[in-house]
Amino acid sequence: MAVLNRMDWYDLARTTNWTPSYVTEDELFPPKLSGDFGLPQNAWEKYDEPYKQTYPEYVKVQRDKDAGAYSVKAALERSRIFENADPGWKSVMKAHYGAIARGEYAAASAEARMMRFSKAPGMRNMSTLGCLDEIRHGQMQLYFPHEHVSKDRQMDWAFKAYDTNEWAMIAARHFFDDIMMTRDAISVSIMLTFSFETGFTNMQFLGLAADAAEAGDHTFANLISSIQTDESRHAQIGGPALKVLIENGQKAEAQKRVDIAVWGAWKLFSVLTGPIMDYYTPLEHRKQSFKEFMEEWIVAQFERALTDMGLDLPWYWDIFLKDIAQTHHGMHLGAYYWRPTLWWNPAAGVTPDERAWLEEKYPGWNDTWGQCWDVFIDNVVDGNMAKAYPETLPYVCNMCQLPILGTPGKGWNVKDYPLEYKGRLYHFGSEVDRWVFEQEPERYAGHLSIVDRFLAGMIQPMDLGGALQYMGLAPGEIGDDAHNYAWAEIYRALRAAKKAS
Amino acid sequence: MALYPLTSNFEGDFVLQLLPVDTENTMDEVAAAAAVHSVGRRVRDRPGCILRVRRQDAQEFFPRTMKVAESGLKPTETVEIIWQAA
């Protein structure tokens, strides 16, 4: 029997809207969940997904993808790549799995909201496949690290991290809860798929896959590439929704959602991806600096995606372009200095050669970030480790939940962006974080940052031990320097040589 | 006497930090408490300098002997700790 070409029947087959007779349209698609923006069903029926795929096609392709990724894993299980990998690379894996794996399961729920509640039939089809994608990503990124749990307890955080009050996880949850767990279907399509996935994750996965291959970790490279091919498909769910909104006079609402999600995504990438690319990845394996990567893969591509769509660049674009050369250096120094509160062992990444690379990529690094590191390095060389660990908490932003920081040393520009709302003083890391809060204060006002919780007496005893317990960090999981400070030897030698001369 | 949280923005450092002080502390004592978390950790000491305290963005420093309770600072408000030639 002859089979029709897919495009001869696809549009008809996925035209699944109908006029409800037993319930009202609002009961079928509650506005709070569907996010119809006041547009009738027929406006949403114009939604035209650029990437059309049927369920049988999807299953066939996904089976092949799974076979590829799992067979590489099986083939390399005895290769001892993990045992022999640079500790900095292991930290990349631990940070990635912990921050991402369970978030993928959460994303399946967000995709399911679009699948059920979107008034756009095309979106419902795309997000059915997207939901299955996210379940697959969750499963794979829990299964792959599991083989290493017996060798290294920190690998258990692939599963554990999302349920803890570890500060970076509070930040990740706050962001994902905001853009995908507590938004209507259309807002999820704009904030999760268009802003976060098109804007950031798609490219993040490309960059990370390249770094993994360069580091010789072909299992991880294949896993990440396999996931990325799904992302590049379902990231396209939001674009046509934006078109519908813009054509129906809802550009301002669409733009606001993009602006909020892009900023939050940027802050999360500045703490997760920035340190990985510019500090954890061994120098010889670095292809691009984080700033170069951002400029080539995120800024240029996202600018085009926004303008193609008829949207404007976010109002804060100039701030963002300046911050991509700065913020992640502070996020790295902060995460490193407060390293007992991490579930991975951060690599310092500040040997003389690495500093020369940083100075080349970020002119002025030695006069700013380098000044802080100089003091830290002296303490390590002198064995003055008491000064190499913190004795108080960094103040974190009430929006992104990450430390409020700026450039130190000769370029000192650290600043708080406070706001008093209903008698409570909030602190923000930037004008943009504060602006996000001001868009819908009641949405965010009740949340307590890790510092707010500390001050409220929720963390007991009120010291580092109490904080680690609150964050769920058990002995054997608490972070410390990835290379056990071996990198400081060269500074010892340099100092000895200076003394001798 | 009561424990009072402020936020320290220390000149030359990279991050704001929680600074527990006492309402009876003078501004010199606030500066010294802030220094514990920055100087010798990520900021070099500056011999011949003292540390002054001011509200964020203010031009004037608080008087060195002013107590926290007299300053009008709100709980967790950010203070800048600035080096000044002695």
Side-chain angles (χ1 to χ4, degrees):
Chain A
M1 192 174 85
V3 177
L4 283 173
N5 286 328
R6 181 235 289 150
M7 290 318 296
D8 292 335
W9 58 267
Y10 178 90
D11 284 346
L12 177 63
R14 68 105 162 92
T15 302
T16 49
N17 271 6
W18 69 95
T19 306
S21 54
Y22 292 104
V23 293
T24 64
E25 191 176 318
D26 275 2
E27 284 173 314
L28 180 60
F29 292 113
K32 273 196 171 173
L33 286 163
S34 75
D36 60 6
F37 290 78
L39 306 180
Q41 275 199 133
N42 60 11
W44 289 109
E45 283 160 16
K46 297 205 172 91
Y47 175 102
D48 187 26
E49 62 277 31
Y51 198 115
K52 294 178 167 62
Q53 195 170 36
T54 65
Y55 185 72
E57 288 168 336
Y58 176 81
V59 172
K60 183 179 182 308
V61 172
Q62 298 303 98
R63 187 173 54 198
D64 290 346
K65 283 189 205 172
D66 263 6
Y70 282 86
S71 62
V72 170
K73 178 186 188 303
L76 295 177
E77 248 165 30
R78 291 173 197 281
S79 67
R80 300 184 63 79
I81 284 171
F82 185 82
E83 286 78 358
N84 298 328
D86 182 275
W89 178 250
K90 285 184 201 173
S91 298
V92 172
M93 275 201 286
K94 290 169 186 173
H96 173 89
Y97 282 129
I100 304 292
R102 294 278 302 281
E104 302 272 17
Y105 266 129
S109 159
E111 294 275 347
R113 193 165 321 116
M114 294 187 281
M115 183 206 303
R116 164 62 185 84
F117 291 108
S118 173
K119 285 186 175 179
M123 182 186 288
R124 294 203 295 269
N125 189 47
M126 288 278 283
S127 47
T128 302
L129 310 183
C131 181
L132 293 168
D133 288 341
E134 302 293 13
I135 292 170
R136 177 174 107 91
H137 302 172
Q139 289 175 338
M140 291 175 94
Q141 288 173 103
L142 291 177
Y143 180 68
F144 277 54
H146 188 69
E147 71 168 284
H148 304 306
V149 173
S150 61
K151 302 168 208 160
D152 188 331
R153 281 196 60 174
Q154 288 178 329
M155 292 302 293
D156 194 30
W157 275 65
F159 193 88
K160 178 178 171 180
Y162 222 75
D163 296 321
T164 69
N165 283 316
E166 195 278 340
W167 65 269
M169 278 321 301
I170 293 177
R173 272 203 310 270
H174 188 272
F175 172 65
F176 289 124
D177 282 1
D178 187 18
I179 67 157
M180 72 184 195
M181 303 308 285
T182 58
R183 298 274 182 177
D184 60 76
I186 300 302
S187 298
V188 168
S189 78
I190 297 169
M191 301 178 92
L192 173 63
T193 75
F194 180 80
S195 306
F196 182 65
E197 291 176 340
T198 312
F200 287 86
T201 52
N202 209 352
M203 298 304 148
Q204 146 83 356
F205 276 70
L206 283 174
L208 204 53
D211 282 352
E214 188 68 27
D217 190 345
H218 298 290
T219 302
F220 194 71
N222 270 280
L223 167 72
I224 295 298
S225 303
S226 182
I227 290 170
Q228 187 272 330
T229 57
D230 293 352
E231 294 286 321
S232 61
R233 170 172 33 74
H234 70 234
Q236 297 180 44
I237 292 173
L242 283 168
K243 260 187 201 158
V244 171
L245 290 174
I246 292 166
E247 281 167 13
N248 287 278
Q250 297 287 337
K251 179 179 166 180
E253 284 299 310
Q255 181 83 48
K256 189 162 87 178
R257 281 159 180 75
V258 170
D259 292 0
I260 290 171
V262 166
W263 185 257
W266 150 242
K267 293 301 282 280
L268 205 54
F269 273 68
S270 76
V271 71
L272 188 67
T273 320
I276 282 175
M277 294 192 76
D278 282 355
Y279 293 90
Y280 298 3
T281 301
L283 192 55
E284 62 275 21
H285 296 320
R286 289 180 205 164
K287 290 270 188 218
Q288 280 181 307
S289 70
F290 179 61
K291 176 172 177 278
E292 290 164 344
F293 174 84
M294 290 291 293
E295 282 172 344
E296 181 177 343
W297 293 99
I298 311 264
V299 175
Q301 302 220 12
F302 202 53
E303 280 182 358
R304 205 173 56 225
L306 286 168
T307 47
D308 284 355
M309 200 59 68
L311 289 168
D312 302 323
L313 295 178
W315 64 269
Y316 52 74
W317 208 241
D318 288 344
I319 299 173
F320 169 68
L321 292 179
K322 189 166 71 64
D323 281 4
I324 59 176
Q326 297 181 15
T327 305
H328 70 291
H329 296 301
M331 291 296 176
H332 172 59
L333 180 51
Y336 184 88
Y337 198 78
W338 275 265
R339 58 201 176 284
T341 65
L342 302 176
W343 69 82
W344 67 91
N345 300 323
V350 289
T351 62
D353 284 349
E354 288 166 323
R355 290 177 66 143
W357 183 87
L358 286 161
E359 183 66 34
E360 183 201 324
K361 299 291 182 186
Y362 302 94
W365 188 93
N366 277 309
D367 276 343
T368 51
W369 309 98
Q371 292 209 333
C372 288
W373 281 103
D374 284 341
V375 181
F376 180 83
I377 290 165
D378 280 352
N379 284 331
V380 174
V381 170
D382 292 338
N384 189 9
M385 295 308 286
K387 292 271 189 182
Y389 291 98
E391 286 183 64
T392 189
L393 295 174
Y395 218 99
V396 303
C397 170
N398 280 113
M399 180 50 59
C400 69
Q401 310 297 320
L402 297 170
I404 298 173
L405 47 81
T407 302
K410 290 182 183 168
W412 186 61
N413 66 2
V414 185
K415 193 168 154 56
D416 183 19
Y417 293 82
L419 177 74
E420 199 163 334
Y421 179 75
K422 291 190 175 174
R424 179 177 159 195
L425 184 60
Y426 293 83
H427 300 272
F428 299 97
S430 69
E431 194 183 339
V432 191
D433 287 287
R434 184 167 61 186
W435 171 83
V436 173
F437 182 91
E438 287 172 320
Q439 298 316 297
E440 216 179 327
E442 282 306 301
R443 180 177 180 79
Y444 305 107
H447 186 269
L448 296 178
S449 73
I450 189 85
V451 176
D452 295 327
R453 296 177 202 194
F454 182 79
L455 292 172
M458 293 163 69
I459 300 174
Q460 294 292 340
M462 292 177 83
D463 55 20
L464 180 64
L468 296 179
Q469 196 179 353
Y470 182 77
M471 293 186 201
L473 283 151
E477 299 173 350
I478 293 164
D480 205 348
D481 184 273
H483 300 91
N484 199 23
Y485 308 97
W487 53 269
E489 286 307 319
I490 190 158
Y491 286 103
R492 266 190 204 104
L494 285 170
R495 193 188 278 188
K498 203 173 169 189
K499 241 184 202 169
S501 62
Chain B
M1 276 184 65
L3 198 62
Y4 204 80
L6 292 175
T7 302
S8 162
N9 186 7
F10 200 97
E11 184 182 0
D13 207 348
F14 80 106
V15 68
L16 301 190
Q17 297 182 96
L18 178 63
L19 180 63
V21 293
D22 192 281
T23 48
E24 291 300 301
N25 282 152
T26 64
M27 288 300 151
D28 272 1
E29 288 167 338
V30 168
V36 167
H37 300 296
S38 293
V39 177
R41 294 176 187 273
R42 297 172 303 272
V43 179
R44 280 213 197 287
D45 195 8
R46 295 191 197 178
C49 284
I50 59 166
L51 288 163
R52 299 298 304 273
V53 182
R54 68 184 182 201
R55 269 204 167 85
Q56 177 167 288
D57 296 332
Q59 296 297 315
E60 297 292 315
F61 293 111
F62 288 113
R64 294 176 60 182
T65 53
M66 179 184 266
K67 289 179 177 174
V68 171
E70 302 159 352
S71 68
L73 287 165
K74 297 174 193 132
T76 78
E77 190 169 342
T78 298
V79 288
E80 292 175 342
I81 316 293
I82 305 293
W83 296 101
Q84 190 183 58

